[in-house]
């Protein structure tokens, strides 16, 4: 469940979208919340996996994840 996952407090209607409009913004959120955190993008809860090596978490829970809802976004290649 995403309920216990760390992440910024969302604003009404826009959620946390305004915090994630740049890679620097995502880097800042990673420093505060860790490599895996939650964002609310306009009412849609999203999980951000900042470190590609942490993506193995998805493999562990793959049976409980609707793959059609996954939307990978690549950063600038830093690992």
């Amino acid at each position: 469940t995403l309920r216990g996952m760390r992440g910024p407090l969302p604003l009404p209607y826009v959620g946390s979208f305004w915090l994630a409009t740049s890679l620097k913004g995502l880097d800042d959120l990673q420093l505060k919340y860790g490599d895996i955190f939650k964002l609310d993008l306009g009412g849609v809860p999203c999980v951000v996996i900042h470190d590609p090596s942490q993506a193995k978490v998805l493999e562990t829970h793959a049976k409980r994840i609707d793959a059609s809802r996954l939307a990978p976004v690549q950063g600038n290649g830093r690992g």
Side-chain angles (χ1 to χ4, degrees):
T1 177
L2 297 179
R3 192 172 302 268
M5 189 174 283
R6 294 181 57 191
L9 187 65
L11 296 174
Y13 303 108
V14 296
S16 311
F17 184 75
W18 61 279
L19 293 170
T21 57
S22 70
L23 289 176
K24 176 161 179 15
L26 289 173
D27 285 345
D28 292 344
L29 290 170
Q30 184 264 338
L31 290 173
K32 185 169 185 175
Y33 298 109
D35 286 337
I36 301 174
F37 56 91
K38 171 179 68 171
L39 284 179
D40 182 299
L41 302 179
V44 178
C46 298
V47 175
V48 176
I49 301 175
H50 194 270
D51 183 350
S53 68
Q54 296 294 323
K56 64 185 173 186
V57 171
L58 288 178
E59 294 175 9
T60 304
H61 301 287
K63 292 181 181 174
R64 296 186 294 176
I65 297 172
D66 180 0
S68 68
R69 297 191 50 114
L70 297 178
V73 177
Q74 281 189 309
N76 59 5
R78 291 181 295 187

